[in-house]
Amino acid sequence: MRDKLNSILKIATNEIDGANTLEQLNDLRVKYLGKKGEITAVLRQMGSLSPEERPVVGKYANEVKEQIQELVCDREKELKQKEMEQKLTQETIDITLPGVKRNIGGLNPLTIVKRKMEEVFMSMGYEIVEGPEIENEYFNFEALNLPSTHPARDMQDTFYITKEFLLRTHTSPVQIRTMLNKQGKLPVKIASPGRVFRKDDDPTHSPIFQQIEGLVIDKDITMADLKGTLLLFAQKMFGTNKKIRLRPSYFPFTEPSAEVDISCIMCEGNGCSTCSDTGWVEILGAGMVHPNVLKNAGYDPSEVKGFAFGIGIERVAMLKYGVKDIRDFYSGDIRVSKQFIGG
Ligand code: 2NL
């Protein structure tokens, strides 16, 4: 039996040495040391030995068992070490490789200008109000004192969806809706930015453009309030050295109406190509809210007065950044937006 154990130890030593994977090694552990393994088989035959031999052989069998256990344990350590080394060589990272450069987006200049204007008006106590781009003909035209015979209502200028619904041509309908919701309450002090739509397409007109309209209604509002407001706006937007001037004009929804110029931001009023040597550039339209519009919006024109103005966001952005063609803002060309990365 001692010979049998010696031969088991010899073969086991060889096989364990030859095991190349942890699975193979585990199979050998079962084969030699398991409940149905070879050592156990020898121990089972101990009954045939004499009482003197039994403890001697039993002790030896346990020694062999321990030796095999140690062999398995050592080999297991070696194999785990090998596996780790393999993993490390396979998973090495070449930290000298250049990284993948990510493109960082920039805001569209119109968004930058729109946010700046919103900030300016909020700082002056205006509430920003937005509304639907698809409008009812009544809110877009009728309520604003544009009778059905007015040329602005022509199919040629307006994108009609049905007879009744259209793409708003200005953000004024948002202000009509807001006034009606307030049911005559005072004051009204709102600014409405948003996309508007007209059938125009040339270097200074785009079929989609954006504007921000301001509206203030209260007792004792005068043209002087309008002028002071617009001067403050021009200076917060373009610099405190700017001046403005009002020229008489016409809009159906205001009376009197004015076109507003700012002292040229390129030449500081000395004359250049931007201002056609006049020293002034037009930036917006404004006026005192027409009595008919006040009435349509639920206010009594003999009790309250209001001023309103409309500013083209593209117009301001073109002046601020020296852009010559309005359509560059809508081209989607990243060479345009790249120039505005970081604001
Ligand atoms: C322009 C001119 C203007 C208004 C917009 C307005 C709104 C209401 C009542 C009265 Cl609810 N007026 N808006 C007034 C005057 C001019 O825009 O040339 N915008 C680019």
Side-chain angles (χ1 to χ4, degrees):
M1 232 177 236
R2 185 179 277 271
D3 290 345
K4 174 76 180 158
L5 284 167
N6 280 336
S7 110
I8 290 174
L9 179 57
K10 205 174 155 204
I11 299 170
T13 306
N14 270 334
E15 286 195 335
I16 290 167
D17 247 7
N20 282 321
T21 66
L22 287 166
E23 289 81 49
Q24 279 173 14
L25 187 65
N26 200 44
D27 289 348
L28 292 173
R29 187 205 312 273
V30 173
K31 178 175 169 189
Y32 291 104
L33 308 170
K35 267 189 197 151
K36 295 176 182 166
E38 297 197 11
I39 301 281
T40 317
V42 173
L43 289 170
R44 283 223 177 90
Q45 290 166 12
M46 298 261 287
S48 63
L49 294 176
S50 69
E52 295 82 40
E53 280 175 312
R54 237 176 266 161
V56 183
V57 175
K59 188 167 173 246
Y60 189 60
N62 275 325
E63 277 167 19
V64 170
K65 193 175 176 179
E66 272 167 27
Q67 274 187 52
I68 295 176
Q69 255 162 358
E70 212 168 292
L71 286 170
V72 169
C73 202
D74 290 349
R75 186 67 187 147
E76 188 176 21
K77 274 189 198 141
E78 278 171 26
L79 287 175
K80 280 196 169 152
Q81 176 77 21
K82 238 172 75 183
E83 199 178 60
M84 177 62 82
E85 275 163 15
Q86 242 173 15
K87 246 193 179 163
L88 285 174
T89 42
Q90 270 170 16
E91 294 176 7
T92 41
I93 299 165
D94 181 355
I95 56 164
T96 65
L97 275 176
V100 181
K101 192 164 184 284
R102 307 264 169 217
N103 281 323
I104 299 169
L107 287 176
N108 186 288
L110 297 176
T111 305
I112 299 171
V113 168
K114 187 179 87 167
R115 288 184 185 173
K116 174 77 189 160
M117 290 209 254
E118 286 172 351
E119 245 169 59
V120 167
F121 286 118
M122 282 191 284
S123 79
M124 292 160 77
Y126 286 72
E127 190 185 335
I128 307 294
V129 188
E130 293 181 318
E133 290 177 1
I134 293 177
E135 260 299 354
N136 190 292
E137 180 162 51
Y138 178 80
F139 290 112
N140 193 79
F141 288 134
E142 204 77 35
L144 284 153
N145 200 37
L146 277 128
S148 51
T149 52
H150 195 280
R153 288 180 66 158
D154 201 313
M155 306 284 282
Q156 262 151 24
D157 306 324
T158 305
F159 290 104
Y160 274 88
I161 294 161
T162 64
K163 253 189 144 134
E164 192 187 350
F165 291 102
L166 46 77
L167 296 182
R168 67 182 181 190
T169 58
H170 40 205
T171 53
S172 324
V174 181
Q175 306 187 305
I176 298 290
R177 287 172 181 278
T178 307
M179 285 189 278
L180 287 170
N181 283 339
K182 285 182 86 110
Q183 300 186 318
K185 278 203 278 301
L186 293 173
V188 177
K189 195 169 180 183
I190 54 172
S192 310
R195 249 181 280 283
V196 299
F197 309 84
R198 289 181 204 176
K199 288 188 180 173
D200 277 331
D201 202 357
D202 64 55
T204 57
H205 296 90
S206 157
I208 301 179
F209 61 106
Q210 298 181 64
Q211 64 168 191
I212 185 160
E213 281 195 34
L215 174 74
V216 176
I217 313 272
D218 209 342
K219 290 201 161 97
D220 305 320
I221 292 289
T222 70
M223 197 98 181
D225 298 313
L226 171 63
K227 202 174 169 185
T229 297
L230 295 177
L231 178 62
L232 196 51
F233 164 76
Q235 294 186 340
K236 280 181 185 260
M237 205 63 204
F238 292 100
T240 47
N241 58 346
K242 296 296 172 293
K243 290 179 277 201
I244 60 162
R245 72 175 185 190
L246 274 63
R247 288 177 287 106
S249 185
Y250 172 77
F251 301 109
F253 25 84
T254 46
E255 182 59 38
S257 304
E259 265 161 335
V260 180
D261 297 341
I262 180 172
S263 49
C264 183
I265 61 163
M266 296 294 172
C267 65
E268 303 298 341
N270 300 321
C272 68
S273 64
T274 297
C275 61
S276 311
D277 288 328
T278 63
W280 297 94
V281 285
E282 187 186 328
I283 50 161
L284 59 94
M288 300 305 290
V289 180
H290 195 288
N292 290 349
V293 178
L294 285 173
K295 241 182 274 166
N296 293 337
Y299 288 86
D300 179 350
S302 70
E303 296 253 311
V304 303
K305 299 279 178 269
F307 68 71
F309 53 87
I311 313 169
I313 290 172
E314 286 79 1
R315 174 92 188 122
V316 172
M318 286 169 91
L319 280 175
K320 234 179 147 53
Y321 300 119
V323 175
K324 295 279 175 295
D325 191 324
I326 192 174
R327 293 168 295 192
D328 288 345
F329 293 129
Y330 293 99
S331 65
D333 190 330
I334 60 166
R335 288 172 302 178
V336 175
S337 22
K338 261 190 175 164
Q339 299 177 59
F340 296 92
I341 291 169

